[in-house]
Amino acid sequence: MRGPPGLGWSCPGRDSVARVGVYFDAATAMPPHPVARQAFLAALDDGWADPGKLYTPARRARQLLDAARAAVAEVLGARPDELHFTAGGTDAIRQAVAGVRRARDRRLVVHTAVEHSAVIKAAGDLAVQVPVSLTGRVDLGALETALDSPEVAMAAVQSANHEVGTVQPVAGAAALCRSAGVPLLVDAAQSIGRVALPTGWSLLAGSARKWGGPAGVGVLAVRKGTRWEQPWESPVDVPAVVAAAAALRAVQAEAATEAARLSALVEEIRATVAATVPDVEVVGEPVERLPHIVTFSCLYVDGEVLLHALDRAGFAVSSGSACTADTLRPSHVLAAMGVLTHGNVRVSLHSAVSTEDVRRFLAVLPGLVADVRAEVGM
Amino acid sequence: MSGPLVVDALGRRCPLPVIMLAKLAAGHSPGTRIEVLADDPAAAVDIPAWCRLRGHTFISTDGDRHTVELR
């Protein structure tokens, strides 16, 4: 058993994490950036006091928090006083939705059918889902129609999809929202620190663990002039926020290089899987996509069985197939697109993934898929 | 022509309904209609997707009854 010192475990070295296998689930959580670790430890020593107090240690914590806020705001294209730290990405989205509903005294949320479940849950029953294409792009005509109602409190359009990587036409959506007088929430969780962020939003939400910061830190930028009342204040964990900001600066500095490298690997996965695995559907936009996410579905394959086979082979991937979800329902994203939901595999890459890791995955995949199919006589 | 062929996949989880459909379809000629009875929520997405991938025609879904026509 390994774990943090002081809890009865010996402390793991960084290489012991790597030995577990190849981690292909960056879209869920990035491995913590080394800079985040250093910043966190330093801020534990220096920023433990309550930043709201007036004595010297509190002022020091406040300075660290302000510096973190300025650094994150710059990356998001926001002013520091527009930025709120939250208790995570889901909390950021819930605050965005609850705060606009309260300030505008309207309830209806118009959102794409492929938003993250955090948006769908925050919107609840008082929501209109806007359909998407077979590749997962929102139908702007349907969005325009949905916005044309006095009941609409806000719209939500993600920067890019978390399951299939499709980039959404946020500029077009923002123009429609502007002319309808409806505030637009952009969930940018998969884009922050990786690609250029969209503009034209009223609210922008993200999650630090998607960019190599700690879990439990979210960001919500609210453009000045947006009718939004903060519905609750989440406790601010200064060392975690400092670590999140440090990680974001670090990944942002390498974003263009990394995006090019990972996008080429995704392109290789898309082409190779389609060529070497029979009866497979590679889903999502082939060009207008995120650099790090690729998803495919294998006909006649049980997603859970394939996921475990890949895990035994040393590859940690995610799946939108029903059998891998706690609800036993297939991914709402794949269902809204109308693509095969079973036999689904999502591979999401990050800076510690090498070309060799990807090629080893591509080498073992066809045999594993064939084995799973053989077991059901296909 | 007699009534459509029926695949009873009630209570079966995906991908089994689609596998049962594909196995039955393999022995039949173009124009054959097959009704798949499947109550797994994934079937409503996966049966039309199977038709699209294999070039068959998806006719309709009515509750747990999904009808396809082979090409």
Side-chain angles (χ1 to χ4, degrees):
Chain A
M1 196 76 179
R2 289 174 171 278
L7 294 175
W9 296 304
S10 60
C11 192
R14 284 191 63 79
D15 62 329
S16 71
V17 177
R19 271 204 302 276
V20 170
V22 178
Y23 182 74
F24 277 161
D25 198 17
T28 297
M30 280 262 281
H33 195 285
V35 163
R37 199 185 178 83
Q38 292 162 13
F40 185 81
L41 292 174
L44 266 183
D45 290 335
D46 223 12
W48 49 270
D50 183 337
K53 301 293 182 183
L54 297 177
Y55 36 75
T56 302
R59 278 204 305 275
R60 182 66 193 134
R62 183 85 214 169
Q63 284 167 354
L64 288 172
L65 186 59
D66 288 346
R69 189 188 311 281
V72 173
E74 187 184 344
V75 173
L76 301 188
R79 287 169 25 176
D81 61 351
E82 293 175 325
L83 185 67
H84 303 261
F85 289 111
T86 67
T90 299
D91 186 47
I93 283 163
R94 290 180 61 222
Q95 286 206 28
V97 171
V100 172
R101 276 176 165 167
R102 179 181 293 189
R104 298 196 73 218
D105 199 22
R106 296 173 209 202
R107 306 289 298 163
L108 198 64
V109 177
V110 172
H111 62 78
T112 81
V114 295
E115 291 300 301
H116 190 278
S117 57
V119 172
I120 292 175
K121 283 180 188 161
D125 292 336
L126 290 163
V128 175
Q129 298 216 0
V130 182
V132 298
S133 70
L134 194 62
T135 61
R137 268 170 90 89
V138 65
D139 178 341
L140 287 178
L143 175 64
E144 185 172 21
T145 305
L147 290 173
D148 186 20
S149 156
E151 308 293 313
V152 175
M154 66 193 300
V157 176
Q158 61 196 181
S159 58
N161 186 264
H162 52 293
E163 284 189 35
V164 302
T166 297
V167 169
Q168 299 294 352
V170 174
L176 293 175
C177 287
R178 206 161 36 246
S179 53
V182 169
L184 172 65
L185 164 64
V186 173
D187 170 11
Q190 292 300 338
S191 302
I192 296 170
R194 294 188 178 276
V195 293
L197 294 178
T199 55
W201 44 266
S202 306
L203 306 102
L204 184 87
S207 166
R209 74 169 181 168
K210 314 286 190 194
W211 72 60
V217 177
V219 291
L220 176 64
V222 183
R223 200 57 97 198
K224 282 280 169 249
T226 302
R227 289 177 64 195
W228 178 80
E229 285 173 28
Q230 187 161 23
W232 57 83
E233 277 201 46
S234 303
V236 174
D237 177 344
V238 174
V241 165
V242 168
L248 184 55
R249 279 176 73 131
V251 296
Q252 182 73 14
E254 296 155 10
T257 318
E258 268 302 281
R261 185 181 77 89
L262 299 182
S263 190
L265 289 175
V266 162
E267 187 51 48
E268 182 171 340
I269 295 171
R270 291 184 71 98
T272 309
V273 166
T276 59
V277 180
D279 290 322
V280 74
E281 182 173 36
V282 182
V283 301
E285 279 285 333
V287 178
E288 294 274 299
R289 59 166 172 79
L290 288 169
H292 65 299
I293 294 178
V294 51
T295 300
F296 52 88
S297 294
C298 308
L299 205 51
Y300 315 131
V301 166
D302 184 320
E304 185 178 10
V305 175
L306 181 57
L307 199 140
H308 286 307
L310 283 166
D311 189 46
R312 281 192 300 276
F315 299 98
V317 300
S318 178
S319 172
S321 294
C323 41
T324 64
D326 47 11
T327 56
L328 289 177
R329 298 193 78 84
S331 143
H332 69 273
V333 171
L334 302 176
M337 292 165 64
V339 298
L340 206 61
T341 71
H342 68 246
N344 180 256
V345 170
R346 178 186 71 182
V347 172
S348 51
L349 309 176
H350 53 92
S351 58
V353 170
S354 69
T355 304
E356 291 67 38
D357 294 334
V358 168
R359 299 230 166 113
R360 280 196 298 120
F361 171 79
L362 291 172
V364 301
L365 180 72
L368 294 179
V369 171
D371 290 349
V372 176
R373 283 177 175 156
E375 280 186 30
V376 292
M378 297 302 292
Chain B
M1 203 171 144
S2 57
L5 300 167
V6 175
V7 173
D8 184 355
L10 292 171
R12 305 297 188 96
R13 303 218 74 92
C14 266
L16 277 175
V18 178
I19 291 172
M20 293 163 76
L21 166 62
K23 284 181 175 171
L24 182 65
H28 288 87
S29 49
T32 306
R33 283 202 175 199
I34 301 180
E35 285 184 2
V36 186
L37 304 177
D39 50 6
D40 181 358
V45 180
D46 286 1
I47 291 171
W50 176 83
C51 289
R52 181 171 49 74
L53 289 173
R54 307 255 84 189
H56 302 303
T57 307
F58 177 73
I59 304 296
S60 65
T61 283
D62 178 15
D64 295 338
R65 184 184 301 267
H66 314 276
T67 307
V68 310
E69 187 176 291
L70 303 185
R71 66 169 163 176

